[in-house]
Amino acid sequence: MKLTSGICAASLLAALALAGCGGQESPAASTASSQESAPAATEAAEPIVIRLGHDAHPGEPFYAGCEKWKELLEERSGGTMKLEVYPSSQLGSKEDLLDQIATGEAMSTLADGAYFYDRGVKDFGIVFGPYLFNSWEEAYKLYDSPWYQEQADKLAEVAKLKIVASNWRFGVRHTLTTRPVEHVSDFKGLKLRVPTNVIQLKGMEILGTAATPMALGEVYTALQQGTIDGVENPVALLYYGKFHEVAKYLLTDAHVYNITNLVVGVDFFNSLTPEQQKWLTETCREAGEYQNALSEKSDNELIEKMKAEGVTVINPSPEFKQELVETSKAFYTLPDFKDWSPNLYETVKAAMK
């Protein structure tokens, strides 16, 4: 009995020793095991990058405004949202940009009611009609009205374009030509470059021009070669595009007070968090105010520079200006715009008051 008990005790001790050795992992094994069970380290999320394409050139207030938006958005978002800015039509024509934006690409550009008309929001086109506004104040009243917000909502639904901000002054649009225009009759047959949209085409045709749709990047050469006789745009774009080098007559006809919109795609905008949407819209509006301050003082300075560089500036007499306004009224009753809402002109004029 004593022998049996000794054997059992020895066996028990041996078993305990083996269990102790088998249950203890080596430091390396323990480390490997903990590494396998721990979650992988989360990498920092990549910033959201938005490509912003536009027609403006370095030196223009709009160019500076876009650079300010880039700065503000990166700062406000802590570097989690960034703008890559491509001036001077580097990303292609506005139509190409709007096509890409509407499909949800992380892109932005400036666009106006004239382009929105072509994308199915017909009433929006009237904001680019000739001599609709007599001042910036009238333009801002309309852009801040319920009517304008209704059009913006339709734009999001129909064209998949979301207006981020609509307070940027692109400028008062004037006409630069290779021969003087001092009467409405001087417009007859003038080959005038216009943007590639129906509203601006018809708006200049009403004066008798042979309006010629053309991408802005082609204008300098076309003026130089005589393919066109003139171009209309705000003074800053005319000057920094160097069009005054090849067209020496500036008519300050102020046919459009051009407030513009910065847009992104609806799908892209909806992919952002509410906080990111707020950063995007607030910084865009702030940048618009910054560029407006620059724009306000630049036109007179640039006109003086044009004069110094050989441009003849024609300021319309009151009679000529009245003739321009009266001739342009026919635009608002053109059969081309029978798809506008009834009494749209009167509705819009009332919204400005």
Side-chain angles (χ1 to χ4, degrees):
M1 289 294 296
K2 287 181 180 179
L3 180 60
T4 304
S5 297
I7 291 171
C8 289
S11 298
L12 179 60
L13 288 171
L16 288 170
L18 286 171
C21 292
Q24 182 177 355
E25 293 180 337
S26 67
S30 176
T31 302
S33 175
S34 64
Q35 286 176 340
E36 288 171 4
S37 60
T42 304
E43 296 182 3
E46 289 291 322
I48 296 169
V49 178
I50 304 167
R51 291 183 295 154
L52 170 60
H54 62 81
D55 295 335
H57 305 288
E60 292 183 47
F62 189 84
Y63 177 97
C66 290
E67 292 299 317
K68 174 59 74 171
W69 186 19
K70 173 182 177 179
E71 173 192 325
L72 289 172
L73 182 60
E74 185 166 346
E75 177 185 302
R76 193 75 48 86
S77 70
T80 61
M81 298 181 76
K82 295 178 181 289
L83 280 181
E84 291 180 352
V85 184
Y86 298 86
S88 307
S89 306
Q90 291 177 16
L91 292 184
S93 70
K94 196 184 303 290
E95 291 82 1
D96 289 342
L97 290 176
L98 290 172
D99 286 344
Q100 294 175 71
I101 289 167
T103 62
E105 293 287 333
M107 299 176 73
S108 179
T109 194
L110 74 159
D112 313 293
Y115 287 93
F116 301 154
Y117 173 91
D118 286 348
R119 289 177 178 265
V121 188
K122 299 301 183 180
D123 286 359
F124 229 148
I126 199 171
V127 302
F128 233 86
Y131 301 103
L132 181 70
F133 306 120
N134 295 310
S135 66
W136 286 118
E137 289 69 29
E138 283 190 352
Y140 276 121
K141 282 182 181 178
L142 182 62
Y143 277 59
D144 289 337
S145 70
W147 177 87
Y148 194 89
Q149 185 55 56
E150 181 184 342
Q151 303 310 308
D153 292 343
K154 287 180 181 177
L155 184 70
E157 180 183 353
V158 173
K160 301 301 180 186
L161 296 173
K162 166 69 179 178
I163 294 177
V164 180
S166 57
N167 65 318
W168 291 54
R169 291 186 188 180
F170 195 61
V172 182
R173 298 180 82 98
H174 300 303
T175 306
L176 184 70
T177 56
T178 57
R179 62 176 188 257
V181 175
E182 298 175 308
H183 306 279
V184 169
S185 58
D186 294 331
F187 276 116
K188 187 172 182 179
L190 188 83
K191 292 175 289 185
L192 185 71
R193 179 270 174 183
V194 295
T196 52
N197 63 72
V198 172
I199 294 290
Q200 286 173 279
L201 174 71
K202 295 298 178 182
M204 298 315 291
E205 277 185 349
I206 208 72
L207 295 173
T209 73
T212 306
M214 181 181 293
L216 196 63
E218 301 171 15
V219 169
Y220 188 97
T221 301
L223 284 168
Q224 195 175 41
Q225 295 177 347
T227 307
I228 57 174
D229 304 313
V231 55
E232 61 79 52
N233 245 296
V235 168
L237 194 146
L238 296 174
Y239 183 83
Y240 287 107
K242 302 186 184 300
F243 302 136
H244 66 293
E245 294 178 350
V246 286
K248 292 297 186 180
Y249 296 92
L250 177 68
L251 174 66
T252 58
D253 52 341
H255 50 277
V256 171
Y257 282 82
N258 186 182
I259 294 176
T260 196
N261 308 271
L262 275 297
V263 298
V264 297
V266 168
D267 291 342
F268 169 72
F269 187 80
N270 290 342
S271 74
L272 302 176
T273 67
E275 187 175 38
Q276 290 167 337
Q277 292 174 353
K278 185 178 179 182
W279 290 335
L280 189 67
T281 55
E282 286 185 349
T283 57
C284 188
R285 188 166 184 85
E286 289 172 29
E289 292 169 358
Y290 170 83
Q291 87 95 40
N292 291 349
L294 297 178
S295 179
E296 193 168 348
K297 65 177 185 179
S298 72
D299 278 11
N300 289 337
E301 295 173 358
L302 293 177
I303 287 174
E304 290 305 313
K305 286 185 177 183
M306 282 187 172
K307 287 180 180 178
E309 295 174 33
V311 172
T312 298
V313 177
I314 302 167
N315 297 313
S317 66
E319 295 77 18
F320 182 19
K321 187 62 178 281
Q322 187 60 30
E323 188 183 9
L324 287 166
V325 172
E326 290 300 321
T327 303
S328 295
K329 283 183 178 178
F331 169 85
Y332 297 99
T333 56
L334 286 173
D336 303 77
F337 305 129
K338 61 186 177 183
D339 46 11
W340 279 352
S341 295
N343 304 314
L344 179 61
Y345 180 80
E346 290 75 17
T347 298
V348 166
K349 281 292 188 179
M352 296 181 205
K353 296 178 181 178

